[in-house]
Amino acid sequence: MKLNNYKWLILIILVMAFILRIIGIGYAYPLALVSDELPTLNASLKMLGTQSFIITAKGYYYTPLLVYLYLPFLIFFILFGLITGIFANIAQLKEIVLLSPGVFIPLARFISVLFGTMTVFLIYQICQKMFYNKKISLLAAFF
C-alpha cells in the first residue's frame, strides 16, 4: 500500500511534534516541577492506593480529567515494575510513593507528550472537516 504525499507530510509533522516534545521531558528535573505535576500525580496515586475512583487528595483543586488519564499509565508502570523487579514488593512501592513520588514524574511528563502529539493530529482532522483542504490542514498542524 502506497501512501500519498499528504499522508507522508502529516506523518512527518507528527514525528517532529513528538521529538520536539520528548526533548523537553527532562527540563528542570528533579529541581523544578510545574505546579500541577505533583498534585495530579499524588491524586492519581492516592486513587490507586485507596482503590477508588473518587479523588480524595487534600488540596487538589485542578480538574479531574488528567487524574483519570494518568491511571491506566500508572497501573501499567506499576505492574511492569513489579513484574520486572524494579519494585521488589508492594511495601517497597508504597515507600517509594511516600518518600519520593518524583520517580513517577517522567511518566507523567511522557503522558503529556503523548497527548500533546495527539493534539496536533486532532487539529489536522478538525481543519480537514472545516475547510476540506489538505494544505490548510497540514499548515495548521505544523503551526
Side-chain angles (χ1 to χ4, degrees), residues 4 6 15 17 57-58 68 74 80 99 103 108 115 122 135 141-142:
N4 61 19
Y6 291 113
V15 168
K58 294 186 184 212
Y68 293 115
L74 283 172
F80 178 77
L99 297 177
V103 171
F115 282 104
L122 181 66
K135 290 179 182 178
F142 185 73

Side-chain angles (χ1 to χ4, degrees), residues 5 10 13 15 17 31 43 69 88-89 100 122:
N5 290 340
I10 190 62
I13 290 171
V15 168
L31 300 176
L69 291 176
N89 52 29
S100 60
L122 181 66

Side-chain angles (χ1 to χ4, degrees), residues 40-135:
T40 304
L41 186 60
N42 284 336
S44 297
L45 290 170
K46 181 144 185 175
M47 285 174 64
L48 288 176
T50 59
Q51 298 176 355
S52 170
F53 284 116
I54 299 171
I55 300 172
T56 58
K58 294 186 184 212
Y60 187 75
Y61 303 111
Y62 300 101
T63 57
L65 178 64
L66 194 56
V67 174
Y68 293 115
L69 291 176
Y70 277 16
L71 285 178
F73 294 97
L74 283 172
I75 291 170
F76 178 77
F77 181 70
I78 289 169
L79 287 176
F80 178 77
L82 289 171
I83 291 170
T84 59
I86 295 171
F87 309 119
N89 52 29
I90 298 292
Q92 183 192 20
L93 176 64
K94 287 181 181 179
E95 183 179 323
I96 290 172
V97 168
L98 287 174
L99 297 177
S100 60
V103 171
F104 296 97
I105 292 294
L107 176 67
R109 289 183 176 181
F110 184 73
I111 294 168
S112 296
V113 166
L114 288 178
F115 282 104
T117 305
M118 287 192 298
T119 302
V120 173
F121 186 70
L122 181 66
I123 289 172
Y124 172 77
Q125 290 294 324
I126 289 171
C127 287
Q128 189 73 358
K129 298 282 183 198
M130 286 176 63
F131 301 114
Y132 301 105
N133 188 333
K134 291 189 179 196
K135 290 179 182 178

